[in-house]
Amino acid sequence: MKRAYPKEAGAENNGPPPPTSPFRQPPTSAAIIQQHRQSLPIYNIRKTIVDKVRECQTVILIGETGSGKSTQLPQFLYEGGVHGGRKIAITQPRRVAAISVAKRVAMEQNGNVGDVVGYSVRFEDVTSPNTKIKFMTDGTLMREALSDQLLKNYSVVILDEAHERTIATDVLFGIVKKAQSTRRLKMLDPLKIIIMSATMNVNHFAKYFGNCPTLYLKGKNHVVRVYQAMDNINYLEACITTIFQIHEKEQESGDILVFLTGQEEIEAATALVRRLAKQQTNGQFRMRVHPMYAAMSQQAQMDVFLSTPPNTRKVILATNIAETSLTISGIKYVIDCGKAKQRAYDPTSGIDTLKVSWISKAQAWQRTGRAGRLEDGFCYRTYSKKDFEALSEHSTPEILRCSISASTLQLLALGIDCREFDFLDKPPPSAIESAVQELKNLGAIFTTKAPSLTPLGRRMAKLPLEPKYAKIVLSAPDFGCLNEILTIVAMLSGENVFLNNSQRREQQLAAHSKFYSKCGDHLTLLKVFEEFKSKDKPRKWCGDNFLMERHLSHAASVRTQLLDICSKLGIQPSSCGDDPIPVVKCLLTGLFLNIAELQRDNSYLCLSSRTPARIHPSSVLCGRARPRYVLFTEQVATGSRYLRTVTEVEPEWVGETAPHCPFLDRISSSGGGGARGSTSSYAMGTASSAMKTV
């Protein structure tokens, strides 16, 4: 199907050739590396930047895509001695960016990752006593502040990609600002702060940091021609059609980067494009298709950066992870769907919702800037110029649209009341009070006027998890099921492990059905993981059973790290064997707000928000006898509202495990819910176990 685009809608100047990918073999000569470094726009003004950092406490650096700011500035400060013997911290919003940039900089320093240059992300620390340039996620540095509020190990903190405004980044702004001020008052060595981005509201940031100076860094000029769709179209269909239009018409080299919304969509599109590519005629470029999203293992992400053979075009289907920081060389064409998955939080109901939303203009230009790094490029937007003009200028910061319970817990661990914290953009009072109330319900804070952490809350803050999952892990010893709970929490921390193959749907369903638990999805995930760990050849076993081996491997790594943290907290392993009831009861200790009741029309009513929803089609409970009550992990809004990762619960368990549940009276008095005839999945043989109290 042909898709027409109008004439050029605009153009953008773009950056220079990108650094060699961090995953490629390093150049054979140090001279080649130095030659490349000297070709970057930032090199010519390195002395100006270093001098400004020496002179000022805080500096904002705005650098166009490809200017070299992320890789070169830390090296200039290190080589110039600005670090003063301490470390230089560089934060990134995403772990894959922190890892990949660290590998590139280590190569440029002619060393190994973990020596002078290292990185630290959640569940992975590759540093040593020699490390002076340390890349990390913003969440990692925030957690370090729990034990070192003044950040005394660091002389410089660089907050990169500040425009993304994740919750952790926004909290870090306040933490480093306070650390800088306190160190100055105590006459300690100064803490330099550098805020970096390609595009952001400069005046807003400068005012927050005391009207600090701003430096602007130009990139090399490569024109990116932008084309917009003429009308409203199906973006997924348009993206795939445009891929093949480019591939058929453009016989010169040039890879394609496609922005889509999420892992499931990308996996489905990848399978379709690969199938269609096999039907291409022999005279054309071959096509090599790669998915790219945050939950992929590092090994899987390597494929995106590897060079392609001759007469082969690389097509990368990515989420907004590829908007910034990650430099994928060879991209000449960008196809932008204009959408991304965003989390939204309703402080009234306490429910997080994941939904597909429009991106901002700043994001659109960031995506455009991925094209033309080596030469002039092209960006095809599958939305009209009118739609583009209707986009907001900048994305709404996460802290204004997501739950801040985790950040509130971390700030309280620092002795900071979030209601008094110096936010760049202060969350609405309703969101703050909702976070405080959630922590009260979880038993993490005392119910006093000025919130303070309980002993349980302090232990929760030591786990790199959302408060509700931290509470579940810490509750597991009471139910004798720590082993099972760690597995489930680790599985929930990553992406979907079930592979969707539309061409072999019957075989896929038959394979997946072997793992289904009649109790629901959480116990199904547990069974999948336990089978996975018992296999001698897990990769082959995953292929035979239509499972994502890299996602299961990621879960295994997360589980190992969580087990290590539990050991340090003095929590001993325990198992409930084949009895599912202790596991479900333990899940209720943290997910008691996520309970839904069956209605007469076979939909469910979320009791905390009083909103209707249906069980997601991917759930093992979808299409079966509907339980009276279910707990769910999250709500997803994709046109309709769905409950995802669902498990049946018995009403009496809620009062037993979560006596502070705000709608407990409704469950106790419902006498069977809104529908009749539903049957419990918990067999009579386990009825006595169900009645046990802990």
Side-chain angles (χ1 to χ4, degrees):
M1 177 179 177
K2 298 293 183 181
R3 180 64 58 195
Y5 288 85
K7 291 184 178 180
E8 179 181 342
E12 174 189 299
N13 290 334
N14 205 3
T20 303
S21 162
F23 297 115
R24 294 184 183 179
Q25 294 296 319
T28 55
S29 170
I32 297 177
I33 295 177
Q34 292 306 313
Q35 182 180 5
H36 167 74
R37 292 186 66 190
Q38 293 171 16
S39 72
L40 295 169
I42 194 173
Y43 186 83
N44 294 328
I45 62 168
R46 64 192 185 285
K47 185 176 185 303
T48 301
I49 296 175
V50 172
D51 289 346
K52 182 62 71 173
V53 173
R54 291 184 192 275
E55 174 189 343
C56 303
Q57 290 286 297
T58 305
V59 176
I60 294 176
L61 177 62
I62 304 297
E64 290 184 9
T65 299
S67 58
K69 60 186 184 299
S70 297
T71 57
Q72 302 307 305
L73 180 59
Q75 296 183 76
F76 295 156
L77 298 177
Y78 171 69
E79 293 162 354
V82 177
H83 60 96
R86 289 186 171 86
K87 297 176 184 177
I88 300 170
I90 311 96
T91 69
Q92 295 285 346
R94 295 180 177 85
R95 70 190 309 272
V96 63
I99 294 171
S100 63
V101 179
K103 290 188 174 185
R104 172 63 198 185
V105 173
M107 185 182 72
E108 293 185 358
Q109 285 290 312
N110 195 29
N112 297 319
V113 179
D115 190 20
V116 173
V117 182
Y119 67 84
S120 180
V121 298
R122 192 173 82 148
F123 303 126
E124 188 176 1
D125 186 350
V126 185
T127 60
S128 70
N130 296 330
T131 300
K132 298 300 179 185
I133 301 176
K134 184 176 177 180
F135 290 86
M136 62 184 79
T137 56
D138 39 22
T140 299
L141 183 57
M142 190 171 76
R143 295 192 63 80
E144 282 193 22
L146 292 177
S147 56
D148 179 19
Q149 295 189 35
L150 297 182
L151 301 174
K152 294 188 291 293
N153 290 329
Y154 302 97
S155 59
V156 182
V157 173
I158 301 174
L159 303 173
D160 200 3
E161 308 300 350
H163 67 278
E164 292 207 18
R165 299 293 303 276
T166 65
I167 292 179
T169 301
D170 268 32
V171 173
L172 260 187
F173 290 149
I175 288 175
V176 298
K177 181 181 177 182
K178 183 178 180 180
Q180 182 188 65
S181 174
T182 304
R183 281 166 63 160
R184 185 167 56 245
L185 291 173
K186 292 186 175 183
M187 305 294 290
L188 301 175
D189 288 342
L191 176 65
K192 304 289 187 179
I193 301 174
I194 303 173
I195 314 298
M196 294 201 308
S197 177
T199 172
M200 68 181 187
N201 187 341
V202 174
N203 293 335
H204 189 43
F205 279 83
K207 183 178 179 181
Y208 178 73
F209 284 101
N211 296 314
C212 63
T214 301
L215 301 177
Y216 292 90
L217 178 62
K218 293 289 185 181
K220 289 185 178 179
N221 294 329
H222 289 288
V223 175
V224 180
R225 300 182 182 276
V226 181
Y227 297 90
Q228 311 249 185
M230 293 187 293
D231 51 19
N232 294 324
I233 54 180
N234 180 304
Y235 72 81
L236 187 57
E237 176 186 310
C239 286
I240 293 174
T241 301
T242 306
I243 288 172
F244 286 97
Q245 284 184 336
I246 294 170
H247 192 58
E248 291 172 3
K249 295 180 180 179
E250 303 295 336
Q251 293 299 307
E252 297 180 357
S253 62
D255 297 333
I256 304 172
L257 173 61
V258 186
F259 285 99
L260 296 174
T261 64
Q263 180 248 330
E264 291 182 359
E265 184 176 80
I266 287 172
E267 292 287 357
T270 298
L272 176 59
V273 174
R274 284 173 176 168
R275 186 170 73 250
L276 295 175
K278 291 180 180 179
Q279 303 172 9
Q280 295 283 300
T281 59
N282 294 331
Q284 296 174 323
F285 275 104
R286 292 186 298 273
M287 185 183 293
R288 181 169 290 182
V289 187
H290 303 280
M292 182 70 175
Y293 46 87
M296 293 175 64
S297 68
Q298 183 178 326
Q299 183 66 35
Q301 291 163 356
M302 291 174 61
D303 293 341
V304 175
F305 296 95
L306 294 174
S307 58
T308 54
N311 299 320
T312 303
R313 192 190 307 278
K314 183 160 54 180
V315 177
I316 301 162
L317 307 178
T319 61
N320 54 2
I321 188 177
E323 277 180 18
T324 56
S325 297
L326 287 177
T327 296
I328 305 171
S329 62
I331 299 297
K332 184 176 181 178
Y333 307 96
V334 165
I335 304 173
D336 176 16
C337 75
K339 302 288 184 69
K341 278 188 177 179
Q342 285 192 341
R343 290 198 174 274
Y345 177 70
D346 182 356
T348 303
S349 65
I351 296 295
D352 269 309
T353 303
L354 185 65
K355 60 182 180 180
V356 176
S357 306
W358 283 103
I359 60 174
S360 65
K361 288 181 180 176
Q363 284 179 281
W365 286 116
Q366 283 280 354
R367 293 180 175 189
T368 300
R370 299 289 94 185
R373 300 296 298 272
L374 292 173
E375 55 186 323
D376 291 353
F378 303 86
C379 177
Y380 298 86
R381 293 173 178 162
T382 65
Y383 47 100
S384 66
K385 186 175 182 180
K386 181 180 178 181
D387 288 333
F388 174 79
E389 295 299 332
L391 299 177
S392 60
E393 290 295 329
H394 297 277
S395 301
T396 303
E398 271 192 1
I399 205 157
L400 300 182
R401 57 180 171 81
C402 294
S403 169
I404 60 169
S405 59
S407 300
T408 301
L409 180 66
Q410 298 298 324
L411 288 173
L412 287 172
L414 292 170
I416 301 171
D417 186 345
C418 64
R419 291 174 290 196
E420 308 298 329
F421 187 65
D422 184 15
F423 286 104
L424 177 59
D425 288 295
K426 195 175 184 68
S430 60
I432 295 176
E433 292 307 315
S434 175
V436 170
Q437 186 60 50
E438 179 182 345
L439 294 177
K440 283 181 180 178
N441 290 336
L442 291 171
I445 60 177
F446 291 109
T447 55
T448 57
K449 186 175 181 180
S452 60
L453 292 182
T454 63
L456 171 63
R458 295 197 177 279
R459 286 163 65 85
M460 288 169 60
K462 295 180 183 298
L463 288 164
L465 298 168
E466 287 289 318
K468 56 189 177 184
Y469 295 125
K471 172 65 179 293
I472 291 170
V473 170
L474 294 176
S475 299
D478 295 335
F479 297 89
C481 59
L482 180 65
N483 294 349
E484 290 79 12
I485 286 299
L486 288 182
T487 295
I488 292 173
V489 170
M491 292 284 276
L492 293 175
S493 71
E495 293 285 343
N496 183 21
V497 299
F498 292 103
L499 178 65
N500 293 314
N501 189 326
S502 57
Q503 289 182 302
R504 302 175 62 188
R505 183 166 179 78
E506 289 186 7
Q507 299 100 307
Q508 168 193 304
L509 292 175
H512 290 172
S513 65
K514 295 184 297 186
F515 308 107
Y516 289 172
S517 166
K518 61 183 179 181
C519 304
D521 299 317
H522 296 89
L523 276 301
T524 297
L525 292 175
L526 175 62
K527 187 173 181 181
V528 169
F529 184 86
E530 290 178 341
E531 288 282 329
F532 169 72
K533 292 300 290 182
S534 70
K535 302 304 176 185
D536 294 330
K537 297 180 179 179
R539 184 182 295 273
K540 181 180 184 303
W541 178 82
C542 286
D544 293 340
N545 289 277
F546 299 90
L547 297 170
M548 305 290 284
E549 188 267 341
R550 56 178 175 268
H551 296 169
L552 284 162
S553 296
H554 173 72
S557 175
V558 170
R559 189 187 185 283
T560 299
Q561 297 293 328
L562 289 175
L563 183 61
D564 183 57
I565 295 172
C566 287
S567 177
K568 292 177 181 177
L569 293 175
I571 303 174
Q572 297 300 316
S574 58
S575 174
C576 60
D578 295 330
D579 187 358
I581 294 175
V583 175
V584 179
K585 285 184 177 182
C586 188
L587 290 172
L588 274 170
T589 63
L591 294 174
F592 57 85
L593 288 177
N594 293 11
I595 296 177
E597 180 185 37
L598 182 64
Q599 303 299 295
R600 294 188 181 278
D601 64 353
N602 287 327
S603 68
Y604 279 86
L605 184 71
C606 302
L607 296 181
S608 59
S609 62
R610 310 296 298 167
T611 55
R614 295 188 178 275
I615 293 177
H616 195 274
S618 64
S619 171
V620 303
L621 296 183
C622 185
R624 297 189 175 190
R626 293 172 177 82
R628 183 190 311 168
Y629 290 101
V630 295
L631 69 82
F632 57 91
T633 297
E634 65 179 353
Q635 289 190 36
V636 180
T638 53
S640 300
R641 189 182 294 269
Y642 291 104
L643 309 178
R644 175 170 278 174
T645 317
V646 179
T647 290
E648 178 182 359
V649 296
E650 295 292 347
E652 61 268 22
W653 298 348
V654 182
E656 177 185 332
T657 59
H660 298 296
C661 179
F663 44 81
L664 183 59
D665 289 344
R666 173 169 174 77
I667 294 177
S668 301
S669 62
S670 64
R676 302 183 185 277
S678 56
T679 303
S680 172
S681 294
Y682 299 94
M684 292 299 294
T686 59
S688 60
S689 176
M691 298 303 293
K692 291 179 182 178
T693 58
V694 178

